[in-house]
Amino acid sequence: MQISLKPCKDVTTVNTDCLILITDAALSSDLAKTVDAACGGAISQLINRGDFKAKIAETLYLPTVSGLKARRLLVIGAGDSASLSDSNFDKIIQASIATPAAADCKDVSYLLDHISINDRKPTWAYQRISQLLVSSSYRYTATVSKPKPPLSIRRVTLQGANTEANRQVIQVGSSIGKGINTACELGDLPGNICTPEYIASEARSLGRKFESVTVNVLDEKKMKQLGMGALLSVSAGSDQGARLIVMEYNGGKKGTRPHVLVGKGVTFDTGGISLKPGAKMDEMKYDMCGAASVVGTMSAIADMDLKLNVIGIVAAAENMPSGGATKPGDVVTSMSGQTIEILNTDAEGRLVLCDALTYAGRFKPASVIDIATLTGACVVALGKHASAVYSNEDSFAQELLVQGQLAQDRAWHMPLWDDYQNQLDSNFADMANIGGPEAGSVTAACFLSRFTKDYRWAHLDIAGAAWLGGANKGATGRPVSLLCHYLMSKVGS
């Protein structure tokens, strides 16, 4: 999708398949008045008649208009406030895509300069609309003989100030949108295609595409040499070998400490010997969405040429039951040297992550964020709307909350108190891998915290946010946007 900027000198001469105007019922902006006058008062007549009340995201579609060079006009309600909330702006932009697409429009133009968003800089709207437009173009096609038709919209013109700042944020928004689509594609692929080696091949492709990215993939032999007994215990029952995938993006000054992202990449989770119920087990292909978000984020920051050093680590494995699978009661030794009694083989995400987090320490990181579809308890606590944030520094958690709000990819700070740690006590190892039925998301984070004492660390439990079930089943690409905003905030710091 091509997104460009163009100053709107005369709205009547904008040549497009569909012109999109955002307005209140009073047509209070000069731009809205001009469009209405050019149409012979058609908009105001429909408002006065009660056919269009200009409620938030309400649409009025005029397939034929006189007085405008545009072939169609789409009017979208902005409600009664002089300034929009960021969430209402999202609703408006999402509503603006369906109608032109249904009319098979190839080219659309948005009138944006009169739009104000609460507590947001003017550039925010340009970045956000670019991200939403690009991410809306995602279609899953890999295993469908007759996939949904692609989004018809190919060219978008944002009628606004053609400034360097606006051009830059459009590029940023487009890059984030593409990163979200990458994460969605990886998440939606079935487990028989998206194996640990498949994720590794996608990472290698990223390295070939961008000179700033180098990729190193560790196989099970190398991981065994490094003492990654926790990670390898998860893949022990599978015919698919585990992979530790390391992507290094060198966009900042040489020698500057990198920020590290660590993604859980369990490409299919049966639960192992602690077998999951059959209902909805197909959705366990999404247990690698943390890894998908890391690949998507690395792709996005490379595409936007972010001036920062970032390392993405993916711990990829398949959790299967077999004669060689890890059993409840087994004790394994992690890369850190700490021993773990595995009381439940379905609590495997923390096992692949703990060794990856230990490995991350060798890079002397400025910060580390792990991203994982880790616990059903997180879904119970927060549902699909927010990711859970845990951190060994409250200030770090607060940074992520702020960037999540800015990215419209929200998170919520959860407790990481020592009070919960004794739930992980074991009579036969340094710790157990589960902490009992209470506070499951918290005790999972407590487990990970034992491997992150040497650096600034945060954990994102995205079990509720990473995909949708039911009729709209599919990956969401979260939290790529949050991660990109966090990394962008660290440039120059």
Side-chain angles (χ1 to χ4, degrees):
M1 182 183 291
Q2 178 186 336
I3 304 175
S4 60
L5 271 169
K6 187 177 181 181
C8 186
K9 296 179 180 178
D10 183 356
V11 69
T12 65
T13 64
V14 175
N15 185 10
T16 181
D17 288 340
C18 187
L19 183 67
I20 299 172
L21 170 70
I22 303 166
T23 185
D24 57 15
L27 302 179
S28 55
S29 72
D30 291 339
L31 197 57
K33 289 183 176 71
T34 300
V35 173
D36 185 48
C39 298
I43 303 171
S44 55
Q45 289 172 30
L46 289 167
I47 290 172
N48 292 335
R49 227 166 55 182
D51 292 330
F52 179 63
K53 294 180 172 59
K55 295 178 182 178
I56 292 291
E58 182 186 0
T59 58
L60 171 65
Y61 177 55
L62 302 176
T64 304
V65 287
S66 59
L68 297 175
K69 196 167 186 180
R71 287 165 285 287
R72 303 168 182 84
L73 176 65
L74 178 63
V75 186
I76 305 181
D80 298 326
S81 300
S83 186
L84 292 166
S85 69
D86 44 18
S87 60
N88 280 340
F89 181 75
D90 274 14
K91 292 175 185 176
I92 287 167
I93 299 308
Q94 287 160 354
S96 76
I97 297 169
T99 300
D104 202 32
C105 294
K106 305 293 190 297
D107 177 287
V108 301
S109 289
Y110 285 82
L111 301 172
L112 283 180
D113 256 5
H114 64 300
I115 300 300
S116 174
I117 316 255
N118 298 334
D119 303 319
R120 298 286 181 250
K121 296 178 181 178
T123 51
W124 185 90
Y126 289 92
Q127 179 175 314
R128 186 65 181 167
I129 192 174
S130 301
Q131 177 185 321
L132 291 173
L133 285 165
V134 172
S135 62
S136 71
S137 68
Y138 171 71
R139 301 288 187 276
Y140 179 77
T141 62
T143 56
V144 183
S145 59
K146 294 182 180 179
K148 292 180 180 179
L151 187 69
S152 65
I153 301 169
R154 295 286 181 267
R155 295 176 303 279
V156 177
T157 304
L158 306 181
Q159 302 287 335
N162 190 3
T163 64
E164 176 63 22
N166 283 345
R167 288 193 296 272
Q168 286 181 354
V169 296
I170 286 173
Q171 165 63 23
V172 167
S174 298
S175 296
I176 295 173
K178 287 187 279 187
I180 290 170
N181 292 350
T182 295
C184 287
E185 174 75 10
L186 283 171
D188 284 337
L189 284 168
N192 61 320
I193 294 176
C194 188
T195 62
E197 179 54 32
Y198 183 91
I199 300 177
S201 69
E202 290 297 292
R204 293 187 189 100
S205 296
L206 197 63
R208 290 191 294 270
K209 183 177 180 180
F210 298 105
E211 290 185 3
S212 55
V213 177
T214 57
V215 178
N216 183 32
V217 179
L218 281 62
D219 61 14
E220 290 199 344
K221 180 179 179 180
K222 181 62 176 177
M223 284 187 275
K224 188 173 182 179
Q225 292 172 354
L226 291 171
M228 293 185 171
L231 196 163
L232 291 173
S233 74
V234 176
S235 64
S238 174
D239 292 339
Q240 301 288 340
R243 298 288 185 270
L244 189 79
I245 304 157
V246 184
M247 298 163 280
E248 296 189 44
Y249 170 74
N250 299 298
K253 292 181 181 178
K254 188 175 181 180
T256 304
R257 293 169 66 197
H259 296 269
V260 180
L261 307 177
V262 178
K264 172 189 171 184
V266 177
T267 56
F268 195 83
D269 180 22
T270 65
I273 297 298
S274 306
L275 194 67
K276 289 180 179 289
K280 295 188 177 181
M281 195 195 285
D282 61 291
E283 294 185 11
M284 287 303 96
K285 69 177 185 178
Y286 292 115
D287 212 17
M288 42 65 66
C289 281
S293 73
V294 171
V295 176
T297 301
M298 297 300 289
S299 175
I301 63 172
D303 191 61
M304 69 176 75
D305 194 26
L306 192 69
K307 304 305 181 185
L308 196 71
N309 293 331
V310 183
I311 293 173
I313 300 174
V314 168
E318 186 181 66
N319 187 21
M320 297 287 285
S322 77
T326 300
K327 306 175 295 298
D330 285 358
V331 174
V332 299
T333 303
S334 67
M335 185 183 177
S336 70
Q338 298 176 90
T339 58
I340 304 163
E341 182 185 14
I342 299 175
L343 298 180
N344 189 317
T345 63
D346 193 23
E348 85 300 329
R350 63 203 73 184
L351 298 174
V352 301
L353 285 174
C354 71
D355 279 345
L357 288 166
T358 300
Y359 189 85
R362 62 176 49 198
F363 296 103
K364 308 298 181 186
S367 70
V368 176
I369 303 173
D370 77 71
I371 309 100
T373 51
L374 205 62
T375 64
C378 180
V379 184
V380 173
L382 297 175
K384 65 182 180 182
H385 301 291
S387 301
V389 177
Y390 299 87
S391 180
N392 55 12
E393 292 186 21
D394 285 346
S395 60
F396 191 7
Q398 186 59 36
E399 282 184 50
L400 291 172
L401 296 186
V402 169
Q403 295 306 319
Q405 290 282 0
L406 190 61
Q408 288 289 82
D409 190 355
R410 293 176 295 178
W412 190 253
H413 192 188
M414 300 284 278
L416 191 66
W417 303 333
D418 286 342
D419 310 57
Y420 294 99
Q421 290 283 357
N422 62 8
Q423 290 181 230
L424 297 171
D425 288 349
S426 167
N427 292 334
F428 306 106
D430 296 330
M431 69 193 85
N433 77 323
I434 56 172
E438 296 180 352
S441 181
V442 179
T443 54
C446 287
F447 178 93
L448 295 176
S449 73
R450 299 186 180 201
F451 302 86
T452 61
K453 297 183 184 300
D454 295 333
Y455 49 72
R456 194 173 194 241
W457 161 78
H459 160 60
L460 289 177
D461 192 334
I462 61 168
W467 80 92
L468 301 174
N472 296 317
K473 186 190 297 184
T476 64
R478 295 177 64 187
V480 168
S481 185
L482 186 160
L483 296 172
C484 286
H485 277 77
Y486 167 72
L487 294 171
M488 290 187 293
S489 76
K490 307 314 288 184
V491 173
S493 64

